[in-house]
Amino acid sequence: MTLALPRRTTVAAVASLALAALLAPAVPASAAPSTAPSSAAVLAAPDIPVANVKAHLAQLQSIATANGGNRAHGRAGYKASVDYVKAKLDAAGFTTTLQTFTSGGSTGYNLIADWPGGDASQVLMTGAHLDSVTAGPGINDNGSGSAAILETALAVSRAGYQPSKHLRFAWWGAEELGMVGSTYYVNHLATADRAKITGYLNFDMIGSPNPGYFVYDDDPTIEKTFKDYYAGISIPTEIETEGDGRSDHAPFKNAGIPVGGLFSGADYIKTAAQAQKWGGTSGLAFDRCYHASCDTSANINDTALDRNSDAIAYAVWGLSAATTPPPSGTVFENTADVAVPDNGAAVTSSVSVTGRTGNAPATLKASVDIKHTYRGDLVVDLIAPDGSAYRLKNSSSSDSAANVIATYTVNASSEAANGTWKLRVQDVAAQDTGYIDSWKLTF
Ligand code: TRP
Ligand code: ZN
Ligand code: CA
């Protein structure tokens, strides 16, 4: 939901730049433009329409109402919830799998949805428990997380998003009986498949009516991603402390998988300091309907649901995206003249390359402009930051033309891109002289 007119554009721009900053720390997030997003924003996560998330919650409420008032493990309302979510995912192009298990004599279901594509050896998982307690319809706990990750998955489909990682979403059964479904899933993963999961993001209660904004204090990269999102919209967060390990991330964490998540509070009481920074009512629980019959579709704070839904998309996009390919054609140049002594010592001219990731390209272009009255006198090398020399030109007593104005293609793929590169020029024959006019590297 858009709270103020420029919010959507601004958040997209801030979000994309904050992600870019993760990948290339030289780009300050404060440089976020307030104008229309640039090409960097193409990689940015979409705004998740909170109205769509609420529409899913309305369906889950109807399902509970039609099935004895709850969506608990072993009850008809649970399976109907699974069917609702599965149909949406199937229609959006996900590959869905229903995993069954038994708990307390009843069949339980985990719904797993894979988005085709991405690197199968790098899986980013996002999950939420879909079951409620028997006392009520469980709309905040945990229709909120279930609906938000469903709408994020649908946004992946709408965007035709092709992340470098493989995306998998999961809706867990029987969390309220002790994380039974998620524990079953982790325990039944082959060791090799477990190793492919690069991260698990958990969302359990993210629309609490008197909300706080809590970030799980687990994997630092995941935690930072959520904090960056909230910093971008200037909402303070706190570390989640209301019972670490009380939701479906616990079995993943125990299996050594990096985890993280968001939480808007359960039955803990909001302090005065928290009400000061987040609004709402101090002295009252974050969710006074926690595990109660009043956890209905009225038990949702739309703003918290909206922000957390957008934060989920931000993290799913940011933690699965291809490393931003460095823009090609970036030029690093030195235009200062350097005299080349006649038949003398080699001289150099440097360029400092910064802000690149990884190695230099196999087609690094070195363009030189050397003024000289007899270019056959000159030996020219490109020196990589580690000192490796690449011969660009040999001397030749028969090459009597003037000047060396040329672009050389160098396979520099074994060299780190960042650092000080040098053009080294030596005049090895007496009489004619000249100078380095300018030179540049094009990455
Ligand atoms: N479903 C959880 C439960 O019933 C809700 C919860 C309480 C929670 N504390 C939490 C979820 C902390 C995540 C983090 O216990
Ligand atoms: Zn829960
Ligand atoms: Ca000479």
Side-chain angles (χ1 to χ4, degrees), residues 319-379:
L319 294 169
S320 66
T323 306
T324 309
S328 62
T330 304
V331 173
F332 298 86
E333 186 171 27
N334 188 337
T335 59
D337 291 359
V338 177
V340 180
D342 188 29
N343 196 19
V347 295
T348 62
S349 172
S350 299
V351 298
S352 174
V353 174
T354 57
R356 316 302 296 177
T357 47
N359 282 1
T363 56
L364 179 64
K365 303 278 190 251
S367 302
V368 307
D369 182 348
I370 304 169
K371 301 299 195 302
H372 199 277
T373 52
Y374 192 106
R375 71 182 181 194
D377 287 4
L378 299 177
V379 177

Side-chain angles (χ1 to χ4, degrees), residues 208-415:
S208 303
N210 185 30
Y213 294 90
F214 300 101
V215 178
Y216 297 7
D217 179 22
D218 284 295
D219 178 69
T221 302
I222 298 172
E223 180 180 341
K224 180 183 187 312
T225 302
F226 288 125
K227 286 180 170 173
D228 284 349
Y229 173 78
Y230 272 101
I233 60 170
S234 303
I235 303 295
T237 59
E238 287 186 13
I239 294 305
E240 190 285 305
T241 56
E242 195 173 347
D244 201 14
R246 273 177 68 180
S247 189
D248 298 298
H249 56 295
F252 286 86
K253 183 176 176 170
N254 292 340
I257 295 166
V259 304
L262 297 173
F263 179 58
S264 56
D267 52 358
Y268 278 30
I269 305 298
K270 184 179 273 188
T271 66
Q274 288 170 330
Q276 187 82 44
K277 64 180 165 187
W278 289 327
T281 311
S282 66
L284 188 71
F286 295 104
D287 183 358
R288 61 179 190 85
C289 291
Y290 175 59
H291 285 185
S293 61
C294 60
D295 186 10
T296 66
S297 47
N299 191 45
I300 290 289
N301 179 285
D302 290 1
T303 301
L305 186 69
D306 185 20
R307 290 170 177 165
N308 285 324
S309 298
D310 292 343
I312 293 169
Y314 179 84
V316 167
W317 258 254
L319 294 169
S320 66
T323 306
T324 309
S328 62
T330 304
V331 173
F332 298 86
E333 186 171 27
N334 188 337
T335 59
D337 291 359
V338 177
V340 180
D342 188 29
N343 196 19
V347 295
T348 62
S349 172
S350 299
V351 298
S352 174
V353 174
T354 57
R356 316 302 296 177
T357 47
N359 282 1
T363 56
L364 179 64
K365 303 278 190 251
S367 302
V368 307
D369 182 348
I370 304 169
K371 301 299 195 302
H372 199 277
T373 52
Y374 192 106
R375 71 182 181 194
D377 287 4
L378 299 177
V379 177
V380 182
D381 293 289
L382 175 67
I383 313 296
D386 71 352
S388 310
Y390 293 83
R391 177 60 47 90
L392 302 182
K393 179 195 169 301
N394 276 311
S395 60
S396 161
S397 58
S398 60
D399 186 0
S400 62
N403 305 334
V404 181
I405 300 175
T407 295
Y408 302 94
T409 300
V410 177
N411 182 350
S413 58
S414 65
E415 306 292 342

